[in-house]
Amino acid sequence: MTSERVHDVLRNGEPGSSVEIRGWLRTARHAKGLSFLDVSDGSCMNGLQVVAPPELPNFEREVRALTTGCAVRVGGELVESPGKGQRVELRAAEIEVIGTTGDDYPLQKKRHSFEFLRTIAHLRPRTNTIGAVWRVRNVASRAIHDFFQQRGFLWLHAPILTAADAEGAGEMFELADSEAFFGRPTRLTVSGQLEAEIGALSHTHVYTFGPTFRAENSNTSRHLSEFWMVEPEMAFCDLDGDAALAEEFLKAVIGTVLEECADDMAFFNERIEKGIVETLEHIVETPFERMSYTEAVAVLEQSGQDFEYPVRWGVDLQSEHERYLTEEHVKRPLVVTDYPAEIKAFYMYANADDKTVRAMDVLVPRIGEIIGGSQREHRVDVLERRMVAHGLDAEAYWWYLDLRRHGGAPHAGFGLGFERLIQFVTGMANIRDVIPFPRVPGSVEF
Ligand code: ATP
Ligand code: MN
């Protein structure tokens, strides 16, 4: 008898076969002469129902004392379940109590607020919601790797420590004493893009997938101080190719989650965000809308909406604007392109109008910006001028410029905030609940 995962037992277990499982009790119901234990091991949404008969040698002494949260090993025979909602249940022949709980175990059957669960981040993955979030993260991560690997992209491991003030994407965490160690100020990376560009100009198709850090003091439901980013970069590619990849990519990853996390998604659909499965199915099937920034501003100006931040050509779009465009105006994901140069990073390809750059943001309902990308400026002279205009020290970026001098080529890429994607597919309102151990201003406990 080898230990099995609850997921496999529930799916493939045949009545009459012997199984052994290990896990934690989600509930323990002690009825007259029988105990019913719901055992979960995190492998799927449902636990396995264990029926404990009084013949067990430790029935009175141990089994009757089991409570929610205890760790157990159960061996026995699978039988057809008379109850509804499950195909099989486990008739215990043996129950070993591996770990008991104190009576202050905080996860009782009632619903807890997500704020409270954040204070017990060591136990919250045992809840339905956070357990499902972790599984969706896992499947989405694999789907991301599969998507790129199947298309010949090379996974490039971008560094976490960097001397570059990368692109001014956000405030950076500076490392104390790094100057003595490295000989110059060193920070935590805000993006692997500049390194991904090196990869694209040697391997044509690369992507990074790793943690990035931003010291921006924004206490919003969409910002973390540490978050994971996916950054593909492609040589011999323009903004249209970039936008096409972003669309194909989002659809593929969402499609895989819908397919492989059906139980978890049914839970989110019922308990977290009604209708989310249908919305996502619709997104997978529908072409994304395209619109230039200039058109988007015209739409917003004519919308008759009373925005908190007034909109006019030249301002950065706020979340309320982004959400109006995608939720109300086009009612589907929207790629906005060609933003004013002033509000975008120095490395974006300058359009001939001398006012806009080949940038794109992918906007989705409920979240707003989920992806930011661009075609990169590969003309050395233009790039140098932009760096000066942005007040950057061109010498510190010597290699970035050098890359263009030696076999430079058009290239493009984007960055997806992985937690924004997980928020989008699960419907979870706060980004702190879709990363296992959130780091935000004032909070780094677990
Ligand atoms: P925002 O305007 O929402 O702060 P940004 O313009 O700073 O985003 P980029 O620098 O383009 O974002 O980063 C690429 C992607 O990384 C974004 O589209 C978003 O999905 C994600 N992202 C950016 N900042 C954060 C953050 N603090 N926490 C989580 N995800 C983030
Ligand atoms: Mn930001």
Side-chain angles (χ1 to χ4, degrees), residues 74-379:
V74 183
E77 188 185 320
L78 282 185
V79 296
E80 262 172 55
S81 177
K84 52 179 181 334
Q86 71 234 339
R87 200 171 51 82
V88 289
E89 60 186 38
L90 179 56
R91 248 196 116 72
E94 190 192 1
I95 294 182
E96 180 189 350
V97 179
I98 295 176
T100 56
T101 65
D103 51 15
D104 56 345
Y105 185 67
L107 292 177
Q108 300 305 329
K109 185 111 180 115
K110 71 180 175 101
R111 262 183 128 174
H112 301 282
S113 74
F114 291 128
E115 288 77 11
F116 170 69
L117 291 178
R118 274 173 228 144
T119 69
I120 51 164
H122 58 308
L123 296 172
R124 71 175 185 166
R126 295 188 196 168
T127 64
N128 281 337
T129 308
I130 304 298
V133 164
W134 284 27
R135 284 187 296 274
V136 167
R137 271 185 81 96
N138 175 59
V139 168
S141 304
R142 213 207 61 238
I144 286 167
H145 283 297
D146 285 349
F147 177 86
F148 289 122
Q149 296 291 333
Q150 283 158 7
R151 284 161 183 79
F153 283 67
L154 178 136
W155 181 18
L156 178 70
H157 307 97
I160 285 172
L161 303 183
T162 177
D165 175 11
E167 61 172 284
E171 295 297 307
M172 302 182 87
F173 289 101
E174 193 152 326
L175 300 182
D177 304 328
S178 63
E179 195 149 5
F181 194 90
F182 291 111
R184 55 198 292 193
T186 307
R187 310 175 182 92
L188 296 182
T189 187
V190 292
S191 157
Q193 182 201 312
L194 303 189
E195 289 87 2
E197 289 187 51
I198 296 177
L201 291 175
S202 57
H203 287 71
T204 77
H205 292 63
V206 299
Y207 68 106
T208 72
F209 187 3
T212 54
F213 307 84
R214 295 190 184 181
E216 48 197 12
N217 201 351
S218 42
N219 261 305
T220 78
S221 59
R222 308 179 313 139
H223 288 90
L224 291 161
S225 308
E226 174 179 320
F227 65 99
W228 283 62
M229 258 229 277
V230 182
E231 294 179 281
E233 190 74 31
M234 295 170 288
F236 315 112
C237 181
D238 61 11
L239 192 72
D240 288 332
D242 200 31
L245 182 81
E247 175 169 350
E248 198 186 337
F249 166 72
L250 279 178
K251 287 176 170 177
V253 175
I254 292 169
T256 302
V257 170
L258 285 172
E259 208 175 287
E260 295 187 19
C261 301
D263 290 348
D264 293 324
M265 289 307 301
F267 173 85
F268 289 119
N269 195 51
E270 202 173 298
R271 305 289 284 273
I272 301 296
E273 175 75 27
K274 291 251 180 310
I276 185 141
V277 166
E278 203 188 323
T279 306
L280 293 173
E281 283 167 353
H282 175 71
I283 280 164
V284 169
E285 286 156 13
T286 321
F288 290 8
E289 195 72 42
R290 302 277 165 91
M291 186 183 288
S292 72
Y293 168 89
T294 302
E295 290 169 298
V297 168
V299 166
L300 292 166
E301 282 175 336
Q302 287 153 27
S303 68
Q305 295 284 308
D306 189 18
F307 294 118
E308 189 185 336
Y309 295 90
V311 67
R312 63 184 156 72
W313 202 94
V315 304
D316 205 358
L317 299 183
Q318 299 292 325
S319 169
E320 57 175 343
H321 307 133
E322 295 172 344
R323 292 190 57 176
Y324 174 83
L325 290 168
T326 169
E327 287 169 15
E328 310 290 330
H329 187 68
V330 301
K331 297 184 165 58
R332 60 171 86 171
L334 168 66
V335 187
V336 178
T337 63
D338 301 292
Y339 283 74
E342 276 95 89
I343 59 170
K344 289 290 181 186
F346 72 92
Y347 52 71
M348 299 189 180
Y349 187 92
N351 281 318
D353 64 11
D354 219 28
K355 284 197 304 239
T356 60
V357 290
R358 299 243 72 192
M360 66 159 188
D361 279 1
V362 180
L363 314 181
V364 293
R366 284 199 337 271
I367 307 291
E369 178 189 339
I370 194 167
I371 282 178
S374 67
Q375 182 174 334
R376 320 305 188 189
E377 186 58 76
H378 67 283
R379 299 162 298 187

Side-chain angles (χ1 to χ4, degrees), residues 6 22-26 38-48:
V6 166
R22 289 172 166 85
W24 295 266
L25 300 195
R26 285 223 285 228
D38 183 13
V39 181
S40 165
D41 64 1
S43 59
C44 59
M45 175 57 68
N46 292 316
L48 180 62

Side-chain angles (χ1 to χ4, degrees), residues 361-438:
D361 279 1
V362 180
L363 314 181
V364 293
R366 284 199 337 271
I367 307 291
E369 178 189 339
I370 194 167
I371 282 178
S374 67
Q375 182 174 334
R376 320 305 188 189
E377 186 58 76
H378 67 283
R379 299 162 298 187
V380 182
D381 51 333
V382 182
L383 186 59
E384 266 169 338
R385 258 187 278 128
R386 300 277 325 278
M387 289 174 100
V388 171
H390 275 78
L392 292 168
D393 173 15
E395 249 165 59
Y397 289 91
W398 68 270
W399 55 266
Y400 193 68
L401 290 159
D402 213 43
L403 198 57
R404 275 111 177 122
R405 283 197 192 93
H406 304 299
H411 59 288
F414 63 77
L416 164 89
F418 183 59
E419 283 72 26
R420 297 244 178 118
L421 174 72
I422 302 301
Q423 271 191 287
F424 182 53
V425 299
T426 59
M428 294 292 285
N430 197 309
I431 198 164
R432 297 165 198 212
D433 302 323
V434 299
I435 189 163
F437 308 106

